[in-house]
Amino acid sequence: MTANVAGYLLQLLASRWLGVSGYSPFASLLAVQLLCAVPALALQNVVAREVVRGAGIGAARGLAWRCAALVAGVAVVLVPVVSAVLKVGVGASAAALGAAPVLVLLSGEQGILQGQRRFRELATVLGGAGVARVTPAIIVLAMGGGTAAALWAAAAGIAVAAGSARLVAGTGDGDSSREGIRSRPAADSVSAGTAGQEAGVVAVLRAAQLQAALMALSSADLIVSRIVLETDDAGRYALGAVATKIAFWLPQAVGVVLYPRMAQPQHSAQTVRSALAVLSAIGILAVAGAAVAAPLAPLFAGQDYAPVQGLLWLFALDGALLAVLQAALLSAIAADRTAPAALTWLGLAAGVAAMLTLAHSVLGLITIATTTAAITTAVIAAVALGATRRTHPVSDPA
């Protein structure tokens, strides 16, 4: 909650201080940064899964450093591409992409804490990272800095958070047995020599397919808005998308807490069903809340954004659907299944094609994005539930 509120505060203040036209590139670069965080999210899930199964902390951190080096190389290549596509400065693109490898290191530590079910410490790291990322950026914006300066400040804050997370996680392996986690033989874990380390990188790449599909689906409309909408409408769309982000990220604790149980075969079926049910209920509340609170949006963000206040419930519905989709994809990562990635990419391709050809207004774009999310979520959730039923046809005990 702390991390999410901090992120929303940054976007809200940026929308006011940068104006409608200035906020659009800022929001688009944040969307790109989210896409670049895919390896970090994948790494956290893989590390958590392997720690549940008995892997060592040293091997997990070694995997994190290798993944960070790979991400840094890709980020360097992408800087001029992002700059050209989004029509923003190279410095701003470098700032957005430069945070990606640091996010990988931070997520490695979070994965260790998550796998050990040290949720109190994990909460400290998650909340602290959100504050450390946002506070420097807000200070820079308040002093009149632009998009590039704010993003560089945020990247520096993430680096501080990564170092702090390492201290919180510590150097010991913890006592996983106290949580009822049965360790695997060393040969089966990511700590099993060079072969195990290579398998760890491959496992991260497999998980990244699923995370990339989800992040792309959650960010594609915001990026496309810069292409198909006028500058002011793109800025308004970016503000409306804050409601999407709130509905999407607000229930993240559900997946964080339940994921270790998803990685345990004897509990996975019941845990997946519980996660989907809880997230669906939270999504309904989020959509209702967005509808009720919509008239307040212009008061906080300015009257320039009044045209989108009536659509905030639709933006929230998009985010709520994506939150359910994320839980279904997490269950696939926990079981090391990658088939749902292809279905998600197919849904993304169809959605983007429709956005580029049919969307000519804010309403048209968010309608297509929400419809795409609804169809994709329904298909993937059905696949996830079917997979757990096939693996564990008998219901788990309470």
Side-chain angles (χ1 to χ4, degrees):
M1 286 288 291
T2 300
N4 287 329
V5 169
Y8 306 143
L9 179 62
L10 172 61
Q11 297 196 49
L12 181 63
L13 294 176
S15 69
R16 292 186 67 90
W17 292 337
L18 296 176
V20 174
S21 59
Y23 178 62
S24 179
F26 182 81
S28 296
L29 285 172
L30 286 182
V32 169
Q33 192 175 77
L34 183 62
L35 291 176
C36 292
V38 164
L41 296 172
L43 175 72
Q44 178 173 338
N45 288 323
V46 170
V47 167
R49 183 185 71 203
E50 296 304 313
V51 169
V52 165
R53 297 175 179 178
I57 289 181
R61 284 180 173 147
L63 176 60
W65 277 101
R66 289 193 297 278
C67 290
L70 291 172
V71 169
V74 173
V76 170
V77 175
L78 289 178
V79 167
V81 177
V82 171
S83 180
V85 171
L86 296 184
K87 301 176 183 177
V88 297
V90 173
S93 296
L97 294 168
V102 185
L103 284 170
V104 169
L105 297 177
L106 173 61
S107 293
E109 302 301 324
Q110 292 173 175
I112 292 170
L113 294 171
Q114 185 180 9
Q116 293 179 337
R117 299 190 188 181
R118 294 165 59 189
F119 295 123
R120 186 183 301 276
E121 293 92 335
L122 179 59
T124 301
V125 169
L126 290 171
V131 173
R133 168 179 170 263
V134 168
T135 302
I138 288 179
I139 292 174
V140 169
L141 289 172
M143 295 175 63
T147 294
L151 290 174
W152 277 118
I158 294 171
V160 172
S164 300
R166 172 66 180 264
L167 296 176
V168 172
T171 57
D173 287 340
D175 183 9
S176 61
S177 62
R178 71 180 184 272
E179 299 291 349
I181 300 173
R182 185 174 62 186
S183 297
R184 298 185 303 171
D188 292 334
S189 72
V190 290
S191 59
T194 303
Q197 292 172 1
E198 292 173 354
V201 174
V202 172
V204 173
L205 292 176
R206 287 199 298 267
Q209 294 183 63
L210 294 158
Q211 292 287 359
L214 175 66
M215 292 300 102
L217 191 62
S218 67
S219 304
D221 58 328
L222 195 57
I223 294 174
V224 170
S225 71
R226 293 273 294 166
I227 301 173
V228 301
L229 300 180
E230 297 293 333
T231 300
D232 286 353
D233 279 344
R236 295 185 183 102
Y237 191 93
L239 181 70
V242 173
T244 301
K245 293 180 176 64
I246 292 174
F248 178 44
W249 293 109
L250 186 64
Q252 289 303 293
V254 175
V256 169
V257 172
L258 294 181
Y259 179 78
R261 290 178 63 84
M262 291 183 186
Q264 294 178 279
Q266 68 271 30
H267 299 300
S268 62
Q270 181 60 40
T271 303
V272 171
R273 290 193 293 270
S274 297
L276 295 178
V278 170
L279 289 169
S280 296
I282 293 175
I284 293 172
L285 293 176
V287 173
V292 172
L296 299 177
L299 298 179
F300 289 101
Q303 291 301 317
D304 287 340
Y305 299 99
V308 299
Q309 73 177 61
L311 300 176
L312 290 182
W313 70 270
L314 192 54
F315 281 98
L317 177 59
D318 184 29
L321 290 166
L322 292 171
V324 176
L325 174 61
Q326 183 179 45
L329 293 177
L330 279 176
S331 71
I333 296 174
D336 204 11
R337 297 192 305 268
T338 58
L343 296 173
T344 308
W345 284 116
L346 181 62
L348 173 65
V352 170
M355 292 176 198
L356 291 173
T357 56
L358 301 176
H360 305 293
S361 65
V362 172
L363 175 60
L365 185 56
I366 187 55
T367 299
I368 294 172
T370 304
T371 301
T372 301
I375 295 173
T376 307
T377 299
V379 172
I380 300 299
V383 170
L385 292 172
T388 57
R389 281 196 294 268
R390 287 192 298 271
T391 305
H392 302 282
V394 179
S395 296
D396 293 333

